[in-house]
Amino acid sequence: MPALNVEFSDRELEDLRQIAKERGTSMKALVREAAAADIARHRALQEGAQAFRRFFAAHADEFAAAFPDDEPAAARRAGRGA
């Protein structure tokens, strides 16, 4: 399995040791869990953003009608026949 060397300050390393001890796990497992959780969070945010973009694109006309002041100036002028 590929590995990654990560450097920590003395304080961070001591904090990691303490947290791992409190949780009854190894430092390696603690750091891996934290990285995996951040990866999952990042993926979920990306998926949520994609879902929002799809929803917004599918309902763009409705949003434009409901919030005309939020439309770009060019779109407002085009809608007025300018």
Side-chain angles (χ1 to χ4, degrees):
M1 178 183 287
L4 174 67
N5 291 326
V6 180
E7 295 182 14
F8 295 98
S9 69
D10 290 340
R11 174 66 191 263
E12 291 168 333
L13 202 54
E14 184 54 40
D15 287 346
L16 284 172
R17 279 190 190 102
Q18 184 62 37
I19 294 167
K21 182 179 177 182
E22 289 172 5
R23 293 184 184 178
T25 190
S26 68
M27 289 175 43
K28 184 176 179 179
L30 179 69
V31 171
R32 187 171 188 310
E33 287 174 20
D38 195 53
I39 290 167
R41 178 183 159 277
H42 179 76
R43 286 180 182 158
L45 288 172
Q46 285 184 321
E47 290 171 8
Q50 289 172 353
F52 172 78
R53 284 191 289 274
R54 285 191 304 270
F55 178 83
F56 187 83
H59 300 280
D61 292 339
E62 296 166 62
F63 280 108
F67 305 103
D69 293 340
D70 293 335
E71 286 296 295
R76 287 194 307 263
R77 283 193 301 273
R80 286 188 235 144

